[in-house]
Structure formats: structure tokens, C-alpha cells
Amino acid sequence: MSEVKAPFLISLLPNGHLPLDARVEALLFVAEEPPTIAQLARALEVPPEAIEEALNLLQERLKERGLRLQRHRDQVQLVAAPEAAEDVRRFLGLHRGPRLSTAALETLAIIAYRQPITRAEIEAIRGVNCEGVLRTLLARGLIEEVGRAEGPGRPIRYGTTMLFLQHFGLRSLADLPPLDGAAEGFSD
């Protein structure tokens, strides 16, 4: 029996002839949880700066595709393009969940623009108790505890999650619309 050579197997070899952005894409595709830049750099044995460059190239290449890169803090993942959301929802047989209340949207906006932020800071901006709304947003996975503030009682600081980005079709927090002049007291 003669030996058959399969040229496509070269790309399966460690550090094969795939460019770094394609190797990063492969890791993002198989990752169970969004990896950090440092995890990707360790796995591919390259500096974090090279991962950043590869992610920028990959993001550019995905612009006309059905996938997008989503970044939150130092984590990154592949997600379906927001423009395909209805198709994906229909294909998976998903229905839209209950909509967020006005209070939840207001609170979520404050957290998104001011994170990390404590409950007391949110309540000072909104002028009402936010305990129930925060509980709802935490239960839906749209916000998370991101640390503790210094001071009496070391209050919890809240920030948004990857699910928040997905829910609103954002690639990163940088995609949030700019605040207008009416909300200036609301921005840092």
C-alpha cells in the first residue's frame, strides 16, 4: 500500500502554516469560556501584543461575515453577528424573553457608563432604591460584581458582563453611544 500524503494536514500541525489570526480564531471557536489575552498568548506561545494585532486583523476580516469578535475587559470571544440575531433566534427556536423595564434599562445604562459603580452611587443618580432592579439584572446575567469599594462596609461595585454586550449587539463597551450634553453629569 502506497503512502498517501495529505497536504491539508500541515495546517493541523502545532504552529503549522496558519497565520496567527487564524490560530487565534481556532482557539476562540473551541473555547468553552471567553479566554483572556494572556491565556491566548500562553497557548500560542506569543507575546500579548501579537495576540492584540491578530485580534485586530481577525476583527477586520470578520466584518463581512456572520461572526464578530466581542471583547469585555481582557476577555474575547466569537459571537454571531447582531445583524443575524433574528435568523439565529428563529433557527434555534428561541423566543424573545421578557423585556427589561424602564427602571432596569436606566440602571443598566448608569452601570454601563460609570462602571465600576456601587448601589449607593446608582441610587444617588436615579434618586430611588435600586435593590430590586440590581437583583433582576444580576439574575439575568447582564451585570456582575466586579469588586468592592474602599470605605465603610466595602460596598459591592457592579459592572456589565459579556451577556450585556451580546444582549445589546455590542462588540465592546467602546461601542456604547456617546452621552449627549443632557447627560453630562452622568459621565466621568
Side-chain angles (χ1 to χ4, degrees):
M1 187 168 167
S2 66
E3 184 177 329
V4 177
K5 294 189 179 196
F8 67 92
L9 290 179
I10 284 184
S11 66
L12 300 177
L13 297 173
N15 296 326
H17 298 286
L18 285 175
L20 184 58
D21 65 300
R23 295 167 56 209
V24 168
E25 181 180 22
L27 296 185
L28 293 174
F29 181 74
V30 300
E32 289 182 24
E33 296 289 325
T36 64
I37 303 298
Q39 288 171 324
L40 292 170
R42 271 193 307 276
L44 295 172
E45 299 176 332
V46 298
E49 297 79 21
I51 297 297
E52 288 289 353
E53 288 178 28
L55 289 170
N56 290 336
L57 181 58
L58 180 58
Q59 184 168 328
E60 188 63 33
R61 290 184 177 174
L62 291 174
K63 278 186 177 176
E64 299 299 320
R65 312 284 306 183
L67 296 175
R68 298 288 184 271
L69 276 182
Q70 188 175 65
R71 298 180 73 150
H72 189 59
R73 297 186 183 94
D74 69 336
Q75 295 179 306
V76 63
Q77 68 180 351
L78 286 173
V79 297
E83 301 86 352
E86 285 303 317
D87 296 329
V88 171
R89 192 175 285 115
R90 190 172 38 260
F91 179 75
L92 295 175
L94 301 175
H95 63 283
R96 287 190 184 267
R99 293 194 182 272
L100 292 171
S101 68
T102 302
L105 288 171
E106 288 174 1
T107 303
L108 197 51
I110 292 167
I111 294 168
Y113 283 99
R114 296 286 306 260
Q115 61 188 306
I117 188 169
T118 66
R119 177 178 144 196
E121 292 167 328
I122 296 166
E123 290 174 350
I125 294 168
R126 288 204 60 232
V128 296
N129 183 307
C130 296
E131 184 177 359
V133 172
L134 289 172
R135 207 173 19 251
T136 297
L137 294 172
L138 283 165
R140 288 197 181 183
L142 296 172
I143 63 169
E144 64 187 353
E145 295 180 14
V146 294
R148 297 271 180 168
E150 295 298 323
R154 300 208 14 104
I156 296 169
R157 298 180 117 179
Y158 296 99
T160 56
T161 64
M162 281 281 211
L163 188 57
F164 164 82
L165 295 174
Q166 291 170 357
H167 185 84
F168 291 99
L170 302 170
R171 289 184 315 248
S172 72
L173 292 173
D175 289 341
L176 285 169
L179 293 174
D180 63 14
E184 282 180 16
F186 178 82
S187 63
D188 284 334

